[in-house]
Amino acid sequence: MIDVPAAQQLVLQHVRCGSTASIPFGLGCLDRTIAADIRAEQDSPAFDKSMMDGYAVRAGDGNRLRVVGVIPAGGATSDPLLPHEAMRIFTGAPLPLGADAVVKQEDVQREQDHIQLSQTARVGQNILRRGSDMKIDDVVLPQGTLINPAVLGLLATLGCTTVPVVQRPTVSVLATGSELVAVNQKPVGSQIRNSNGPMIAGLAQSCGAEVINELLVPDDPTRLRSAISACLTSDVLILSGGVSVGDYDHVPKVLAELGLVTVFHQVNMKPGKPVLFGTIGGTLVFGLPGNPLSAFVCFHLFVRPALLVMLGRSPQITPIPAQLTIDCHSKHDRPTYAPAKIHSIGVEPLPWQGSSTIRALVEANALQLFPAGEFHAKAGDHVPVLPLK
Ligand code: AMP
Ligand code: MG
């Protein structure tokens, strides 16, 4: 049976960054990935700019100066500053020609049309020089940048009315199981509500993918076949349930009939061993086990890296070391990925009642990796974890 890292590499061999789309500037750009380097179309600031409310002066002109004008933010003057002159200036306003310093108004004594400086001005003080933030043609936002609110502000500064972003992969989510009912139905007998469908759709959307279908089908090969067929227009199909070896686990067989090229089926891990990955035409197909925690862990280990790469981002599959805050003893028959919580001081595994419960995940922000076999670690030891975000 294949190990997790090898299975992840196989997934990555089947994905590449999506094509470029141009979208209008606005809040819709948030969380998208920039698809091409964005350069400055002009210097910023475009002029030598005052960073203070005060007086524009010529440094070395002496401490008593005549005030000859006013420049508010958004204003300008074409009059040059002559020797022993000052101009009233406000934050953000352009310096007049000849001025090379701004003196804060707090450091000035005003006497009618004159000012008295308490200290001699230094060249460049309180001035943001033209081009000091960015120079024309600088790459300000490189390809691959994730658009957060600060980036949105920069895009506005740069005047990007349309933004080149990586196309979002489309995702269909198909929950399978005859025991499942929708959220608005009351389960009777041994029925349960379909929690994987919304959870997986939410995970996919959180990664930045576009969820175009979220369906629920019973363990019926005919209905399964038509539901899967209907989802094959999407870039990624994520199934939950029915991938194991039970009599009602029809997913592998139906996928095979529809032309699945299997890349792997079963991975040496816990939870989530029955996981399946393959392709049908251009669609990546992930079959996640139905147990909610298994589905969650398999999504993080296999689906998320694929979606991130398709979105022009790094797959984030490398575990990082975190310091345990408590002693930890375990015995697992396979390498195990358990819900855990990283605090500012370290990590601790969360209580976990088996793969059928997702309650532990509400608090989790990481998966902690445990090796197969007996494992003992003390508080303060470093253990590998995969952050969930
Ligand atoms: P399966 O992988 O189909 O054998 O399902 C394993 C377990 O997960 C069973 O107990 C199912 O009832 C449960 N399960 C399967 N699909 C879902 C789902 N969509 N939501 C919640 N539980 C599920
Ligand atoms: Mg099932």
Side-chain angles (χ1 to χ4, degrees):
M1 211 184 323
I2 188 171
D3 284 322
V4 169
Q8 287 176 316
Q9 289 308 323
L10 286 175
V11 170
L12 294 183
Q13 282 168 22
H14 286 82
V15 289
R16 57 191 162 79
C17 181
S19 49
T20 302
S22 265
I23 60 169
F25 174 82
L27 291 177
C29 297
L30 281 176
D31 299 327
R32 304 293 299 262
T33 310
I34 292 176
D37 289 350
I38 297 179
R39 294 171 181 273
E41 59 170 16
Q42 60 173 39
D43 290 346
S44 178
F47 46 85
D48 290 347
K49 183 190 243 186
S50 174
M51 294 197 294
M52 289 288 170
D53 294 328
Y55 293 86
V57 302
R58 303 158 56 108
D61 239 10
N63 287 358
R64 186 171 165 78
L65 305 169
R66 193 162 70 88
V67 180
V68 295
V70 179
I71 316 169
T77 179
S78 55
D79 297 343
L81 196 68
L82 301 175
H84 307 290
E85 287 183 348
M87 280 194 205
R88 185 86 171 99
I89 196 164
F90 294 90
T91 306
L95 259 70
L97 225 64
D100 57 12
V102 169
V103 181
K104 292 197 280 189
Q105 62 189 42
E106 295 91 325
D107 295 342
V108 162
Q109 201 80 49
R110 177 94 190 224
E111 300 154 4
Q112 274 113 32
D113 61 347
H114 277 78
I115 51 170
Q116 184 69 39
L117 311 187
S118 52
Q119 266 181 0
T120 309
R122 275 179 301 100
V123 173
Q125 81 180 29
N126 300 321
I127 293 175
L128 196 60
R129 291 286 186 198
R130 172 180 181 150
S132 56
D133 190 20
M134 52 184 101
K135 294 218 165 21
I136 185 164
D137 227 31
D138 276 355
V139 174
V140 179
L141 292 167
Q143 176 186 354
T145 304
L146 188 63
I147 303 179
N148 62 22
V151 174
L152 199 62
L154 258 181
L155 288 167
T157 304
L158 296 168
C160 292
T161 51
T162 57
V163 183
V165 294
V166 178
Q167 194 103 47
R168 303 163 73 193
T170 54
V171 169
S172 292
V173 178
L174 191 49
T176 74
S178 295
E179 74 280 30
L180 302 173
V181 297
V183 60
N184 57 355
Q185 283 179 268
K186 185 144 184 68
V188 291
S190 61
Q191 290 179 330
I192 57 168
R193 290 202 178 93
N194 167 26
S195 61
N196 285 350
M199 178 182 75
I200 293 167
L203 287 166
Q205 185 174 309
S206 306
C207 290
E210 184 186 357
V211 178
I212 55 171
N213 294 302
E214 200 217 306
L215 306 173
L216 173 57
V217 277
D219 296 313
D220 170 65
T222 309
R223 292 183 61 184
L224 197 53
R225 191 173 300 117
S226 63
I228 292 172
S229 302
C231 294
L232 291 178
T233 53
S234 45
D235 299 314
V236 179
L237 167 60
I238 311 171
L239 295 125
S240 120
V243 286
S244 198
V245 293
D247 290 354
Y248 299 96
D249 293 335
H250 302 300
V251 168
K253 189 159 163 283
V254 171
L255 286 173
E257 287 165 12
L258 289 169
L260 181 81
V261 178
T262 306
V263 178
F264 58 78
H265 189 186
Q266 295 203 340
V267 174
N268 182 28
M269 62 184 286
K270 188 173 148 184
K273 177 178 151 199
V275 62
L276 171 156
F277 169 64
T279 57
I280 300 180
T283 303
L284 300 182
V285 181
F286 294 90
L288 311 185
N291 268 316
L293 189 61
S294 311
F296 185 92
V297 168
C298 288
F299 182 96
H300 272 279
L301 296 181
F302 306 116
V303 188
R304 182 170 183 258
L307 294 178
L308 291 180
V309 169
M310 293 169 100
L311 283 157
R313 299 175 55 195
S314 81
Q316 299 176 24
I317 50 173
T318 312
I320 56 165
Q323 226 175 0
L324 277 173
T325 57
I326 55 172
D327 293 352
C328 205
H329 306 284
S330 67
K331 190 175 175 186
H332 296 290
D333 49 352
R334 293 190 295 279
T336 295
Y337 294 76
K341 182 158 184 173
I342 302 176
H343 308 270
S344 52
I345 46 164
V347 66
E348 79 185 50
L350 294 166
W352 170 28
Q353 320 299 348
S355 24
S356 63
T357 167
I358 43 174
R359 286 192 66 183
L361 288 174
V362 173
E363 276 214 55
N365 59 12
L367 297 175
Q368 184 179 334
L369 281 60
F370 291 89
E374 272 193 51
F375 173 74
H376 301 283
K378 293 224 163 321
D381 289 351
H382 282 85
V383 292
V385 299
L386 277 171
L388 292 176
K389 194 77 187 132

